[in-house]
């Protein structure tokens, strides 16, 4: 299955394991709650889906790479304990708590979350000395004489032997005690994720054209050479940073992430074209609605791949502006909730103290989310922006010595209105960009296959679809309706053709 299907299956498993009956007992007894064993090639997102599942289900996440552990850190250290049996004293060997299990308890203490996922990566690359204890843990959920607390799903991940020479095979006894999920790479699924994670537009456009370059591992005379999903995502981060710093992204830099030379070279050449198209077609002018007639002519005469690249540039900018609008919308929603609480409390509490309390509450939420493994970059940044603005409001009340409820509320409401106004301006500006993009493409391409692709990409895009749904776009709705009409017309035509073919076949038999 692909990584999206694997994520859903693990999430379903977690919910099943945590479900309880009317008496409060787990529906599936702990002894029957098999660890999940996720097997698949490296760099396709096995770790990331664990973070997403934990966040979406509000449970804790403790993640370890097993290859970093020794026997002592995993199982604990032995010590001698005195015991009396039948009136006779004995020296008994026990063990201190495993570092791994201790981390589970520490997270429970820090976050208050009693249930979660213990994720053990590279499970089939354990050392010779650690292998028996690790297999025992998968089978019995114990390290030494210490047991994993109830309510914790063990999820382990490993790579098949063709990708890693260090792996060991599990025996039947172990495999018969785990829930094995085999996962493989899938560009369509990754592209959906890439849009949501704001992966650089050049990478998405390139892989749209060269889908077979998304994930490849080849054995050559020089050893393994590869391009992976992880490599593309990390390269995206670097390209954005280099663009901010005005640094060139050459073949050597790309090759440090995409370690398959011919793909690294091909993408580097494409990236140069991507930047060239950005300059040649003046994408910013297109979105402003100030393009020149020659730009229309150039795109109309361009080859198909070039048209796709230019549309990719336009989509990347629309996605970025849609994202900014969505984040501002999220900020205003969060501030509105905070200020509703502020309004309810200032009649009985000092306004500055209320804001101080709200700030500390948000900071604690951020801390707990980070400790639980739930805090992705977007949530972190949104939370920090909210905290910063609440602190600005608090300082404003102190500076202007506003202590009465009415005066404080009026001031804070006025400051908050700046954020709602910014949301409105962003929405209007982004909406104008959408309209200009459609006008330009209609003029250059007409009712072509490329325009169908453009509409489809907006529909599939995480941020662009959000924008259209929340702010509207007349041109998008018009084209989408035409697409639906054409799709229905084609379906009816195909059904009629099928009926006619069946009738002809029946007549021939007669």
């Amino acid at each position: 299955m692909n990584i999206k299907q694997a994520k859903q299956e693990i999430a379903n498993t977690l919910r099943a394991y945590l479900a309880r009956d009317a008496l409060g007992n787990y529906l599936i007894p702990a002894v029957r709650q098999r660890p999940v064993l996720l097997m698949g090639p490296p760099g396709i997102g096995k770790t990331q889906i664990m973070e997403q599942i934990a966040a979406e289900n509000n449970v804790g996440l403790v993640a370890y790479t097993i290859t970093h552990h020794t026997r002592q850190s995993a199982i604990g250290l032995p010590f001698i304990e005195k015991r009396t049996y039948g009136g006779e004293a004995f020296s008994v060997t026990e063990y201190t708590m495993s570092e791994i299990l201790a981390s589970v308890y520490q997270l429970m203490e820090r976050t208050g979350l009693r249930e979660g996922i213990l994720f053990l990566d590279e499970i089939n690359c354990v050392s010779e000395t650690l292998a028996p204890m690790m297999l025992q843990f998968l089978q019995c959920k114990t390290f030494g004489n210490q047991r994993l607390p109830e309510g914790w799903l063990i999820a382990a991940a490993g790579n098949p032997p063709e990708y890693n020479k260090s792996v060991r095979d599990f025996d039947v006894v172990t495999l018969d005690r785990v829930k094995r999920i085999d996962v493989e790479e899938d560009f369509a699924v990754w592209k959906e994720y890439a849009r949501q994670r704001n992966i650089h537009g050049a990478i998405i456009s390139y892989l749209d054209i060269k889908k077979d370059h998304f994930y490849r591992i080849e054995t050559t005379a020089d050893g393994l050479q590869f391009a992976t999903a992880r490599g593309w995502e990390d390269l995206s981060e670097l390209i954005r940073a280099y663009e901010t710093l005005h640094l060139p992204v050459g073949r050597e830099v790309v090759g440090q992430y995409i370690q398959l030379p011919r793909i690294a070279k091909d993408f580097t050449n494409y990236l140069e074209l991507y930047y060239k198209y950005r300059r040649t077609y003046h994408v910013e002018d297109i979105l402003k609605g100030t393009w020149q007639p020659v730009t229309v002519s150039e795109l109309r005469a361009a080859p198909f791949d070039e048209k796709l690249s230019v549309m990719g540039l336009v989509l990347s900018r629309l996605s970025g502006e849609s994202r900014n609008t969505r984040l501002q919308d999220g900020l205003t929603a969060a501030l509105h909730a905070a200020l509703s609480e502020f309004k309810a409390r200032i009649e009985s509490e000092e306004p500055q103290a209320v804001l101080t309390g709200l700030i500390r509450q948000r900071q604690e939420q951020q801390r707990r989310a980070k400790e639980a493994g739930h805090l992705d970059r977007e949530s972190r940044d949104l939370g920090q922006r909210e905290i910063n603005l609440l602190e600005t409001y608090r300082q404003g009340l102190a500076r202007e010595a506003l202590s009465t409820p009415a005066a404080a509320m009026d001031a804070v409401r006025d400051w908050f209105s700046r954020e709602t106004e910014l949301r409105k301006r962003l929405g209007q500006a982004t909406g104008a960009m959408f309209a200009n993009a459609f006008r330009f493409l209609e003029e250059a391409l007409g009712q072509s296959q490329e325009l169908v692709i453009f509409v489809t990409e907006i529909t599939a895009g995480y941020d662009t679809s959000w924008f259209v749904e929340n702010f509207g776009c007349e041109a998008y709705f018009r084209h989408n309706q035409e697409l639906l009409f054409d799709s229905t017309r084609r379906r009816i035509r195909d059904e009629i053709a099928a009926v006619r073919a069946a009738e002809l076949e029946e007549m021939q038999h007669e």
Side-chain angles (χ1 to χ4, degrees), residues 118 445 487:
L118 173 58
L445 306 175
S487 176

Side-chain angles (χ1 to χ4, degrees), residues 112-303:
L113 297 171
R114 313 310 295 177
E115 299 170 324
I117 300 170
L118 173 58
F119 178 57
L120 306 174
D121 201 6
E122 299 183 9
I123 188 71
N124 56 346
C125 293
V126 294
S127 65
E128 193 72 36
T129 56
L130 187 55
M133 279 70 71
M134 193 52 58
L135 297 182
Q136 177 206 18
F137 182 64
L138 290 178
Q139 294 172 17
C140 308
K141 300 185 180 179
T142 60
F143 277 129
N145 55 1
Q146 307 288 336
R147 178 174 291 276
L148 182 72
E150 284 192 336
W152 280 77
L153 164 69
I154 300 172
N159 301 322
E162 60 265 31
Y163 299 108
N164 193 329
K165 295 178 181 178
S166 303
V167 304
R168 63 180 64 252
D169 291 328
F170 290 121
D171 56 34
V172 174
V173 175
T174 301
L175 290 174
D176 196 35
R177 286 172 167 81
V178 299
K179 177 175 180 174
R180 176 168 175 158
I181 299 175
D182 290 294
V183 63
E184 57 188 11
E185 69 277 4
D186 186 315
F187 173 67
V189 170
W190 182 83
K191 184 179 175 183
E192 182 181 334
Y193 163 85
R195 290 191 187 102
Q196 188 168 350
R197 284 302 185 105
N198 200 28
I199 299 297
H200 196 281
I203 291 176
I204 295 178
S205 296
Y206 172 76
L207 293 177
D208 260 334
I209 299 169
K210 302 286 183 70
K211 292 180 176 62
D212 59 326
H213 288 184
F214 164 60
Y215 196 102
R216 294 190 72 86
I217 297 181
E218 298 178 358
T219 303
T220 70
D222 298 320
L224 280 178
Q225 296 180 344
F226 51 89
T228 69
R230 181 191 295 124
W232 289 115
E233 183 169 3
D234 291 347
L235 178 61
S236 170
E237 295 283 352
L238 186 87
I239 292 174
R240 290 194 183 281
Y242 271 38
E243 287 177 345
T244 301
L245 299 170
H246 305 290
L247 297 173
V249 181
R251 181 179 172 184
E252 293 78 10
V253 174
V254 173
Q256 294 161 10
Y257 292 82
I258 307 304
Q259 298 182 46
L260 205 162
R262 61 183 175 81
I263 294 181
K265 178 183 177 181
D266 195 46
F267 175 72
T268 304
N269 293 337
Y270 177 82
L271 187 61
E272 291 176 1
L273 281 175
Y274 187 84
Y275 290 141
K276 176 188 173 184
Y277 295 153
R278 182 185 290 174
R279 295 189 300 269
T280 302
Y281 286 95
H282 306 285
V283 171
E284 293 304 317
D285 289 344
I286 291 173
L287 296 178
K288 290 176 184 175
T290 57
W291 63 82
Q292 299 298 317
V294 65
T295 307
V296 173
S297 302
E298 286 176 346
L299 186 61
R300 185 179 295 143

